[in-house]
Amino acid sequence: MDALRYRQRREQIFDYMTRLGGGIAILPTAPEVTRNRDSDFPYRHDSYFYYLSGFGEPESVLVLDSRNRTATLFCRPKNEEREIWDGFRYGPDAARETFGFDTAHAIDTLDERIAAMLADAPALFYPLGVSARFDRQVRHWLAAVRAQARAGVSAPSAAHDLCAALDEMRLVKDADELAIMRRAGQISAQAHVRAMQACRPGMREYQLEAELLYEFRRHGSQSPAYTSIVATGANACVLHYRAGDTECRDGDLCLIDAACELDGYASDITRTFPVNGRFSAPQRELYDLVLAAQQAAIDATRAGVSFNDPHDAAVRVLTQGMLDTGLLPRDKHGTLDDAIASKAYTRFYMHRTGHWIGMDVHDCGDYREPASAGQAGSERPSRILRANMALTVEPGIYVRPGPDVPERYWHIGIRIEDDAVVTPSGCELLTRDVPVKADDIEALMRQ
């Protein structure tokens, strides 16, 4: 994206701040985090900060003043010695010109400048309660302003959560964001294809993970969007399992939930496939059930419906299938409506069918409509989907052994997940460059 896009977003925030009486917004990026001794984790910017700035360096703070509608960046200064060790830095002057800020200063001048910027501001806007360290900084700055009270200087008298406005903005994607997400989905799909084709009995989960990571980086992704799940056999029934050293055995399924991040935007794909390339009859039975549930959820995803509608559609299909297969005995759980009302299905399907996706894999944004006067949080209706919202569609079924569970289904864990963009009449799937039908998966693995 060019600097104009970020400037337009900042203008929207200025408008939001003005409607609330105006003031100063302070938004820090994420800190660098030490992994051990003198080694850091790979750096990743804060999504809110990046959404308004496009600036990816650590040790940066964005300050917005709605009174004169100016954006000021505080960032690391140019430093030839540190650049020899750590790489290029923009520095304040180049950052201002490249990213379209009104002013920019070295980060080590923030403390001395921010008090003057906060002086007589009606309100302070910042991510409330997100970081204890940043909260302490804010209190320090406010104390410095209040110390000038005898000189006639006043501190902000109100505080607003800046993230509330940004959450609403980020829920609906623009054309540039969707273009990046489409490409991220394509890269991730190619990685899943590679893993399916590479899989053989006797391989280890971490070897399949390596195939995924190679494909992500080979096509320009900066990193995985999240820790890859590569779960074979009974491990697939552990929802947040991480790729380990378990051997992929002949006759087992392998569930891979893995995807890349590209230019600050995530993708999210899950596929489940047979290690030996052919589904057994019980595996195929449950796989087709989950696929039918996903299709029901996809069919229910369009502008104007509730966020809960796709989940409810998937639950009906899955619960009916559980009754038909005997996973839920009819003499114990009754009719389909009875089993849904009692939530009996949650023994084998215990998560939601989707979540927002965007800059974060579990992206920001409320799942309920904004509150109106007198409404408590639990009373607000489910969010109504609008065009260009993005969400995942990911039903699953996870069968752990039990005396009342048909043995042929033991240790079968299946999830199928795609990324979807809401359209007026339906949804666009961004991640279907990897097969999803059982016959197509088997055909791919035979190649």
Side-chain angles (χ1 to χ4, degrees):
M1 296 183 188
D2 58 20
L4 177 61
R5 178 67 62 187
Y6 298 102
R7 183 181 289 275
Q8 290 172 335
R9 290 173 178 171
R10 295 195 292 268
E11 289 295 328
Q12 287 183 258
I13 291 297
F14 285 137
D15 291 341
Y16 164 77
M17 294 169 66
T18 300
R19 289 195 297 271
L20 293 181
I24 296 289
I26 307 176
L27 186 60
T29 194
E32 293 180 291
V33 179
T34 300
R35 184 181 186 274
N36 62 305
R37 201 166 173 82
D38 62 349
S39 177
D40 291 339
F41 282 103
Y43 182 71
R44 205 276 189 181
H45 54 258
D46 174 78
S47 295
Y48 290 115
F49 175 87
Y50 192 81
Y51 185 76
L52 290 182
S53 69
F55 191 69
E57 292 185 14
E59 297 183 76
S60 303
V61 174
L62 178 64
V63 180
L64 304 177
D65 189 336
S66 69
R67 295 168 296 182
N68 52 19
R69 301 181 80 90
T70 57
T72 302
L73 177 73
F74 290 86
C75 66
R76 301 180 302 182
K78 294 293 288 183
N79 184 314
E80 183 177 347
E81 180 180 356
R82 291 316 313 167
E83 289 185 60
I84 290 172
W85 289 92
D86 302 327
F88 173 78
R89 297 180 177 189
Y90 276 96
D93 292 338
R96 184 189 66 249
E97 291 187 15
T98 304
F99 296 92
F101 301 109
D102 299 295
T103 57
H105 305 287
I107 188 65
D108 56 10
T109 69
L110 177 60
D111 282 345
E112 65 186 70
R113 293 177 181 273
I114 197 67
M117 301 174 83
L118 285 168
D120 299 322
L124 172 62
F125 298 76
Y126 81 103
L128 291 174
V130 172
S131 163
R133 177 175 173 270
F134 189 66
D135 285 343
R136 287 193 297 271
Q137 281 186 290
V138 169
R139 289 197 297 271
H140 171 74
W141 295 331
L142 291 174
V145 179
R146 290 174 182 138
Q148 304 175 61
R150 291 185 180 182
V153 176
S154 62
S157 59
H160 302 286
D161 185 7
L162 184 60
C163 295
L166 290 170
D167 286 352
E168 289 299 304
M169 289 172 60
R170 285 174 55 185
L171 264 179
V172 178
K173 275 57 178 178
D174 61 33
D176 291 325
E177 292 177 293
L178 291 177
I180 297 171
M181 292 178 67
R182 287 188 185 96
R183 179 58 184 149
Q186 291 168 353
I187 293 171
S188 297
Q190 289 170 339
H192 277 260
V193 168
R194 182 184 186 91
M196 286 182 186
Q197 292 181 318
C199 186
R200 298 287 186 276
M203 290 186 73
R204 302 284 177 173
E205 292 166 336
Y206 63 78
Q207 292 175 302
L208 287 177
E209 181 187 27
E211 300 288 344
L212 296 161
L213 299 178
Y214 172 77
E215 199 72 8
F216 294 163
R217 289 296 283 149
R218 189 167 79 93
H219 291 287
S221 161
Q222 291 83 9
S223 69
Y226 51 96
T227 302
S228 300
I229 297 170
V230 182
T232 189
N235 294 338
C237 295
V238 180
L239 297 185
H240 288 165
Y241 180 84
R242 302 175 71 170
D245 62 357
T246 303
E247 180 181 334
C248 299
R249 298 183 304 178
D250 193 350
D252 281 348
L253 294 176
C254 182
L255 184 156
I256 294 181
D257 185 340
C260 74
E261 178 177 297
L262 179 69
D263 298 340
Y265 286 82
S267 52
D268 192 1
I269 302 178
T270 308
R271 290 293 186 269
T272 309
F273 57 90
V275 168
N276 63 11
R278 290 194 63 83
F279 289 93
S280 69
Q283 291 168 352
R284 178 67 177 261
E285 188 176 13
L286 294 189
Y287 186 90
D288 287 345
L289 170 59
V290 175
L291 184 60
Q294 192 201 34
Q295 188 59 54
I298 291 168
D299 292 342
T301 302
R302 61 184 179 278
V305 306
S306 158
F307 177 85
N308 282 337
D309 286 352
H311 175 71
D312 292 342
V315 164
R316 291 196 71 82
V317 173
L318 286 172
T319 307
Q320 183 64 62
M322 292 174 195
L323 292 167
D324 293 342
T325 58
L327 287 172
L328 296 178
R330 293 179 187 275
D331 59 356
K332 178 179 179 181
H333 297 287
T335 66
L336 172 60
D337 289 336
D338 293 335
I340 291 174
S342 68
K343 296 188 181 297
Y345 63 87
T346 59
R347 179 178 179 183
F348 305 107
Y349 179 50
M350 60 292 294
H351 60 78
R352 300 288 296 177
T353 304
H355 55 76
W356 304 129
I357 186 168
M359 300 186 84
D360 302 320
V361 66
H362 283 241
D363 210 28
C364 65
D366 203 334
Y367 289 93
R368 294 180 181 270
E369 284 294 300
S372 56
Q375 277 186 320
S378 61
E379 297 172 342
R380 292 181 291 142
S382 176
R383 174 76 69 166
I384 300 302
L385 298 182
R386 292 161 30 208
N388 293 345
M389 288 181 169
L391 65 158
T392 63
V393 186
E394 50 174 309
I397 195 165
Y398 314 91
V399 185
R400 292 174 175 270
D404 57 341
V405 176
E407 188 172 354
R408 64 185 181 276
Y409 300 127
W410 285 9
H411 301 304
I412 292 179
I414 297 168
R415 184 164 63 253
I416 306 171
E417 177 181 22
D418 285 289
D419 301 341
V421 176
V422 178
T423 67
S425 58
C427 65
E428 173 193 357
L429 298 179
L430 306 184
T431 47
R432 280 299 177 90
D433 287 342
V434 56
V436 67
K437 294 181 179 178
D439 288 341
D440 294 339
I441 289 173
E442 291 181 346
L444 174 69
M445 296 183 71
R446 284 196 299 270
Q447 292 177 11

